[in-house]
Structure formats: structure tokens, C-alpha cells
Amino acid sequence: MTPGNGFPAGFLWGAATSAYQIEGSPLADGAGPSNWHVFSHTPGCTHDGDTGDVACDHYRLWRQDLDLMAGMGLNAYRFSVAWSRVQPDGRGAVNPAGLAFYDRLVDALLERSLAPNLTLYHWDLPAALEEAGGWTNPEIVDRFAQYARILARALGDRVAMWSTLNEPWVVVNAGYLHGVHAPGRRDPAAAMRAAHHLLLGHGAAVRAVRDESPRARVGIVVNIEPKYPASTDPADVAATARADAAMNRLYLDPLLLGRYPEEMPAIYGDAWPDHPAGDFALIREPLDFLGVNYYTRAVVRHDDDVPFLRAAPVPQPDVEHTDLAWEVHPASLTRTLLWLRERYGSIPLYITENGAAFPDPDTSPPEGLDDRRRVAYFRGHLRALREAIAHGSDVRGYFAWSLLDNFEWACGYAKRFGIVHVDFATQMRTPKASARYYAEVVRTNGAEFDAPEVPQ
Ligand code: IFM
């Protein structure tokens, strides 16, 4: 790997996945059902009734997936652990066979010089805990810390990088507020309670991991979507501040400043609970790093018809959008990273997810799918990342989302994010042009960006 080219020494170049999206075999070897197992098996909850029953069959094919990453020259892998494999009902006794899967995975990563970057919770909660109220039940804070302790005790000698939660905003908004993800609830007061318990659970898990593994570096992963006002009208400007507070600052402010954004009571009214002042010491447990998932931005206008937020996104004409209708806007990645430093001070950052869903080209050449729109997405965002680093942002690694086409939650298998194509009928993996492109970026440590653009 060539040092320099704007990326610091020791920069992590990785790919990311999550357990329920790729593993399949959700009930194998004594695992319990997760909330996503229940949700995806509930008619009408996912596209075409898709489930994670098979997914990418990574539970059985994991060695070849690790070989793919090693073949690309990556030096890190971000994955999540399925809580219900380790503790089938989320409490009490450990299921040794479930834990053994991750134990083998970690050893095999290290054998391939891939640094393990482990996420404890990427949305799949043991169903028994969800039945007891999930993240709305304060009991979960201790349960989550106990689970974190089990994993840190088992893997902390080999895993140096730990994230507690992935994207708490999605857990709260999609799962408890809008009901489009597991557990499918539509309850604003429950959603706001869940937000607080996620943050408390995070703090308790940070302490548990550090207790068991003093060398562990522990952080959290948030998805940040910068908001821009659609006009200079004060109503649009205020709506933009509300949207930013409810999505970005709702998590970052308590984690890093020890308080909730001042807009929250006005946004959620009676659904916004009082919080004991003492809770913030736990939530604000110092972080070793912040993981940033960046995909898109939003332009926002005032809209009285939108409950609570009274703000709506304004689709931008004549610009590229991905298959999920997310605007492609690399400059907002630079802005996000610089804003984080301005608002919260210098904290080590990792881009823990960045990538795009695009439909596959209809025909593929023998060397594999030519997903040139995804290549352009990565090139644009990696350049934007380098720009932020040049302006002082302390970014230490980048993880492409995703290694494999996978189960894209409520969209099932209809949206493809992988740099490696998965034929879900045969489980055959085929690296796409974006995988070859990313391997070249990694090999040259970013020098590739300065090569002339190939006309499309
Ligand atoms: O697939 C998801 C992932 O699980 C969390 N971040 C966003 C990705 C794309 O929607």
C-alpha cells in the first residue's frame, strides 16, 4: 500500500456488512428468533415478503467472503453480531455455538490481516426482548451491557475496535415511530423513550466493554444527513433546524455535549419525556471514536402537514439519485466532517458506511458487472473525504457499504448495495467493477483519484 496521497498512515480501508442482512440460517445452532425474523415473516412487512432466512448464506460461506476482502487488499472488516445467536432470548445463559461462530470469524479475519471492527447492535434484537417492550423498556439497558460484557470477555483479546449501536435514529424512527422496520410500532412516546434507552444502553455497553478489555477502542455509529433550507424564508430555516435536531443532534448532542437539542420538547410535545439529569453522565461516557455513516443530504421546507417535525424534504431536480431516491451529494460529506469538528471538537472519526444502491446493468461483460454509477459514487465521496482530511478532519478509516448485495431491510433483495454481486439463486459471488475500483484505491492509498476520469 502506498503511504500518503492525503490519507494518514495506518488508514483503515474496509468493507461493512451486518448480521441479519447477510448471514442467513437465523435459527441455526441454538439461536433464538430476532425481531427482524418475526417482522420479515409477518405478511406485508417487506418487499415481496423477503426474509433473512438465507440472505447471502454467509453463516456457511463466510470463509469465501473473507477471502474476497483479502483479495481486494482490504485491511479491515466491519461486521455485526446477532445478539440472538449469543443469547437466544437476550438474557441469561450464553449459547456456545452462536458465540463460536464469531470466535472463528475473528480468528480468520486476523489470519487474513483484516482488522475486525465489531458492531454489537445492528437492529436485530432477540424477539423475547422485543416482546418485553424492546428499547422502550428500561430493563434493556442492563441487558445490553450484559451482552456487551459477554462478547468483550470472549473476543476482547483479539477485537480492538468496538461499536455499540448502528444508527440509533433508524432504530427509533423506522422501528418505533413510523413502523416500517421491526418491531413495526407507530408510537411517538415509545419512540422517544427508545431513543433515551438506546443512548443509556450505549453508555452502559461502553463501560462493560472497557471493563472486560482495557485495550478496546469503543465508539458508536450514527448516520448523519446534513440539512439545508430550501429557501431563506425563516419558516424553512426553522424547519431545517428541527429536522437536523431530530435526526442528527438528537444523538450527537447527548453523546458529546451531555444534553438534548433545545428543539426537542417543541417538536414532540407530550411525547417528549423528562430525563433525569444524572443519566447524561452515562450517555456521555467518553468515546474513542465516532463512526459516521454518510449517504446523502436533505433540502428541507416547512410543512404543517408533517406531524411533529412540520418539515418535509424537497427533492432536487436534475441531479443524480440512487435507487433509493437518495440524492448523490459528495460535497455534503466534506461539510458533515468539518461540521462535526466545529461543533463537537476533535474526535477520531471513521466513515463506517458509504455507498449506493443502483440497479445492475442488464448485461455484464465476462469480467463482471460494470456498475459504473457506483464507481463514480465512490470516487466522488472518497475525494470529498480526502478534502475533509486536508482541512483537518481526523478521519482514520473508510468502510464501503456494502461488501455484498444483501437483505436491504424492508426493501428485501430489491435494492443492491454490494461491490460484490450475489446471485441469490446460486449464492455465486462476482466482484463488480466497483470492487476492482476500490481495490485500486486501496492499493494506491488514494492516488487513483488523481488519474484522469474515464469518459462514461
Ligand atoms: O443497509 C443499510 C445498513 O444496514 C445501515 N445503513 C444504511 C444501509 C443502506 O440503507
Side-chain angles (χ1 to χ4, degrees):
M1 204 181 287
T2 319
N5 299 320
F7 290 94
F11 197 78
L12 294 186
W13 291 109
T17 65
S18 89
Y20 192 76
Q21 293 183 272
I22 64 165
E23 287 178 356
S25 307
L27 305 179
D29 300 328
S34 71
N35 59 347
W36 265 96
H37 183 73
V38 173
F39 187 75
S40 66
H41 281 266
T42 305
C45 288
T46 63
H47 173 86
D48 269 356
D50 288 346
T51 73
D53 286 3
V54 178
C56 306
D57 205 9
H58 173 82
Y59 192 69
R60 295 189 300 173
L61 303 179
W62 56 276
R63 283 187 191 79
Q64 57 171 278
D65 295 335
L66 270 47
D67 288 342
L68 279 167
M69 287 187 283
M72 278 183 244
L74 306 189
N75 60 12
Y77 174 49
R78 174 173 180 246
F79 64 99
S80 77
V81 172
W83 186 344
S84 54
R85 290 198 195 282
V86 175
Q87 284 182 297
D89 64 3
R91 306 176 174 89
V94 173
N95 171 32
L99 190 54
F101 172 71
Y102 297 105
D103 195 77
R104 286 193 295 273
L105 185 79
V106 166
D107 280 345
L109 285 168
L110 295 173
E111 279 161 19
R112 291 163 177 80
S113 300
L114 292 159
N117 172 355
L118 184 155
T119 301
L120 289 164
Y121 183 72
H122 196 126
W123 308 354
D124 46 341
L125 190 70
L129 290 185
E130 196 70 81
E131 280 158 26
W135 290 101
T136 72
N137 181 344
E139 180 214 0
I140 198 158
V141 175
D142 288 343
R143 297 275 74 80
F144 187 53
Q146 181 57 32
Y147 158 65
R149 187 174 292 281
I150 291 167
L151 282 179
R153 191 171 291 165
L155 306 178
D157 56 335
R158 285 156 292 153
V159 175
M161 199 173 170
W162 296 73
S163 296
T164 54
L165 306 173
N166 181 71
E167 300 183 359
W169 177 79
V170 177
V171 178
V172 169
N173 280 56
Y176 292 94
L177 186 61
H178 300 299
V180 293
H181 276 191
R185 291 178 64 176
R186 292 191 172 87
D187 180 340
M192 293 306 110
R193 281 200 307 280
H196 192 63
H197 295 147
L198 280 156
L199 288 166
L200 288 170
H202 153 80
V206 171
R207 289 182 182 172
V209 173
R210 284 199 180 124
D211 270 2
E212 295 294 331
S213 176
R215 68 185 272 272
R217 296 176 58 238
V218 198
I220 185 171
V221 172
V222 290
N223 53 318
I224 305 181
E225 190 180 288
K227 311 289 185 185
Y228 300 75
S231 77
T232 54
D233 182 330
D236 288 342
V237 173
T240 304
R242 288 194 297 278
D244 178 53
M247 179 170 184
N248 303 318
R249 287 181 282 120
L250 174 55
Y251 302 96
L252 290 169
D253 281 7
L255 287 165
L256 297 165
L257 303 177
R259 55 177 155 76
Y260 282 113
E262 61 185 12
E263 294 92 338
M264 297 313 297
I267 295 172
Y268 285 105
D270 290 345
W272 181 252
D274 287 333
H275 300 104
D279 285 2
F280 292 92
L282 180 58
I283 292 173
R284 202 186 181 180
E285 189 66 29
L287 299 175
D288 294 311
F289 66 88
L290 181 70
V292 175
N293 292 355
Y294 174 80
Y295 287 93
T296 189
R297 67 157 184 173
V299 177
V300 177
R301 67 175 167 79
H302 180 91
D303 185 343
D304 278 323
D305 292 336
V306 177
F308 300 111
L309 219 46
R310 291 177 296 115
V314 182
Q316 299 301 290
D318 306 323
V319 292
E320 185 169 32
H321 290 80
T322 72
D323 206 15
L324 285 172
W326 295 351
E327 182 185 349
V328 177
H329 203 265
S332 285
L333 173 57
T334 314
R335 174 178 156 144
T336 293
L337 294 171
L338 297 180
W339 170 78
L340 281 171
R341 199 181 49 155
E342 276 160 36
R343 184 169 177 84
Y344 301 107
S346 192
I347 170 169
L349 302 174
Y350 292 85
I351 305 300
T352 33
E353 289 181 25
N354 175 239
F358 286 119
D360 285 335
D362 290 339
T363 54
S364 55
E367 64 274 16
L369 282 162
D370 184 12
D371 57 337
R372 57 187 66 189
R373 293 178 72 190
R374 188 173 288 102
V375 170
Y377 184 97
F378 281 124
R379 181 182 279 122
H381 286 79
L382 287 163
R383 283 180 171 165
L385 167 59
R386 187 173 64 173
E387 177 81 8
I389 293 173
H391 285 86
S393 183
D394 184 7
V395 182
R396 301 184 182 187
Y398 175 91
F399 293 80
W401 185 269
S402 182
L403 175 66
L404 303 169
D405 291 331
N406 60 43
F407 176 77
E408 177 54 23
W409 306 110
C411 298
Y413 299 97
K415 306 293 175 194
R416 290 179 179 265
F417 272 93
I419 57 176
V420 173
H421 178 265
V422 176
D423 178 334
F424 291 106
T426 61
Q427 290 299 338
M428 183 164 155
R429 276 84 162 128
T430 311
K432 305 179 190 179
S434 54
R436 292 189 292 281
Y437 169 75
Y438 189 42
E440 189 58 10
V441 169
V442 174
R443 193 184 66 77
T444 62
N445 212 39
E448 188 288 333
F449 308 151
D450 300 318
E453 302 267 344
V454 181
Q456 305 272 307

